Amino acid sequence: MKGELKNIRTYLMTGVSYMIPIVVIGGVLIALAIALSGVEAGTGANVTNPILEKMLNIGVKAFGLMVPILAGYISFGIADRPGLAPGLVGGALANEIGAGFLGGIIAGFVAGYTAKWIKSWKVHVQLRAIMPIFVIPLLTSLVVGTVMYIIGAPISSLMESMTATLKSMGTGNAVLLAVIMGAMIAFDMGGPINKVAFMFGAAMIGEGVYTIMGPVAVAICVPPIAMGVATLLNPKKYTETEKEAGKGAIAMGLIGITEGAIPFAAADPFRVIPSIVVGSSIGAAIAAIGKVGDHAPHGGPIVLPVVDNRIMFIIAVLVGVAVAALMVNILKKDVVEEKKEENDDEEISIEF
């Protein structure tokens, strides 16, 4: 069991290692374009300069490759070259149905294990040459495509249900609503659950209620900033690649790009996701208590010019970041210690 869990982590890290440059390219370019253009009340990020528009478009296109690359290289890690194309297809479909990076992880594992299984088939010698370039990718793509379309409908229904629940809560219990929305924002960082909370907050701006988007704006920036700060507070718990990604994550968080935390969550979901969910929820709750309002459908410190009660906004962000960063560092092990445990597991399995 331990050996299989180690393999799963290895496959995840394969996908994450190839995804990180894409996240950095997309996140930094989008952040620069928005930072140099600014955020306006009512409309949010408003990039009109032609050069900055092109910079933003490059960043958006790079971000569009993030989930397919994650899924493709998870599948590649499991099944080698025959798994790459089906994993990329599954990741693209995860994007299409709005399943986010969690959908990409599912697609990667489905594609990888399906391709690995088909590779094990005993086939006629004349078919062996075309198996890795035709049969395996084709059949695996059909399988992973079917799975992604099957989970698409439940994801859509879940989004509608969550939206209805948030609407039914109204603004009566502002703190509880903020806690729930903060958790939703952090849970899948740009995925379907995140988008429900964000779109609800943005819709309330149109109704003249800005104290819903205020806590959301805080929650949006907590995950990436917290993960970046965590790498600085205790670098022994992170790989060199993660430490570099942490710098980019801080920049993305300042501009309100939650996806900056995705590489960390994909690599270690059971420690990172609970930590950032708690941090974002607490930050959002503090913002609600302080009646923080945000007049723009965007998040992060970049929206400060259009925020009501800016001091409480800053306090909420700082507390949320501190909680998430400290919690994740308490939960995570040192990289050296983790590798030692993996090596010990390998030695035990060899002895058996």
Side-chain angles (χ1 to χ4, degrees):
M1 185 65 181
K2 277 190 175 181
E4 188 56 35
L5 287 174
K6 182 203 158 198
N7 287 340
I8 289 172
R9 176 167 169 72
T10 301
Y11 304 146
L12 275 173
M13 288 306 298
T14 301
V16 170
S17 65
Y18 283 99
M19 178 184 68
I20 284 176
I22 296 292
V23 176
V24 172
I25 292 167
V28 171
L29 289 179
I30 292 171
L32 280 172
I34 294 173
L36 294 172
S37 300
V39 173
E40 298 177 5
T43 59
N46 193 13
V47 182
T48 55
N49 180 284
I51 294 174
L52 294 179
E53 275 186 333
K54 289 180 173 59
M55 184 186 293
L56 178 66
N57 188 49
I58 294 169
V60 169
K61 290 294 185 290
F63 253 22
L65 294 172
M66 178 174 62
V67 173
I69 291 293
L70 174 64
Y73 281 95
I74 287 173
S75 182
F76 174 82
I78 297 168
D80 206 13
R81 195 173 299 174
L84 179 59
L88 292 169
V89 170
L93 289 171
N95 266 349
E96 183 181 296
I97 66 173
F101 88 98
L102 293 173
I105 291 174
I106 293 170
F109 279 106
V110 169
Y113 281 114
T114 302
K116 187 176 181 180
W117 172 60
I118 297 173
K119 277 173 68 176
S120 69
W121 291 0
K122 304 295 182 185
V123 298
H124 193 277
V125 66
Q126 292 181 336
L127 288 176
R128 286 178 193 166
I130 64 168
M131 286 293 288
I133 60 172
F134 181 74
V135 177
I136 298 173
L138 180 63
L139 294 180
T140 304
S141 294
L142 288 171
V143 171
V144 73
T146 301
V147 170
M148 297 317 292
Y149 280 126
I150 287 172
I151 68 173
I155 287 172
S156 177
S157 298
L158 179 64
M159 289 174 70
E160 290 174 7
S161 175
M162 286 189 293
T163 302
T165 301
L166 291 177
K167 285 180 179 176
S168 69
M169 290 182 69
T171 57
N173 195 332
V175 176
L176 177 59
L177 181 62
V179 168
I180 292 171
M181 294 184 72
M184 291 171 68
I185 287 290
F187 180 73
D188 59 355
M189 294 150 281
I193 295 174
N194 169 288
K195 282 185 171 62
V196 167
F198 176 81
M199 295 307 295
F200 181 71
M204 294 306 290
I205 291 175
E207 301 293 323
V209 179
Y210 307 111
T211 51
I212 301 295
M213 194 66 206
V216 170
V218 169
I220 282 170
C221 68
V222 167
I225 297 176
M227 292 313 303
V229 169
T231 64
L232 297 175
L233 290 177
N234 203 333
K236 292 187 295 183
K237 294 180 182 285
Y238 301 90
T239 65
E240 289 302 319
T241 306
E242 286 175 324
K243 283 184 270 191
E244 289 303 311
K247 297 171 187 174
I250 292 174
M252 287 181 236
L254 294 174
I255 312 299
I257 302 174
T258 318
E259 287 88 344
I262 285 179
F264 300 93
D268 195 359
F270 298 112
R271 294 186 181 98
V272 173
I273 292 177
S275 302
I276 59 177
V277 164
V278 170
S280 286
S281 296
I282 290 174
I286 293 171
I289 292 167
K291 300 191 184 314
V292 172
D294 179 11
H295 293 251
H298 202 75
I302 194 173
V303 301
L304 273 173
V306 295
V307 163
D308 300 326
N309 205 343
R310 295 170 192 170
I311 298 298
M312 283 304 295
F313 178 93
I314 294 169
I315 291 170
V317 170
L318 291 176
V319 173
V321 166
V323 169
L326 291 172
M327 182 173 170
V328 76
N329 279 349
I330 289 169
L331 293 175
K332 285 179 77 71
K333 297 175 182 175
D334 290 357
V335 172
V336 175
E337 183 184 342
E338 200 165 69
K339 285 182 178 177
K340 182 179 180 300
E341 285 185 5
E342 289 178 0
N343 291 334
D344 289 344
D345 288 341
E346 283 181 2
E347 288 174 12
I348 291 168
S349 64
I350 290 169
E351 286 173 12
F352 279 107

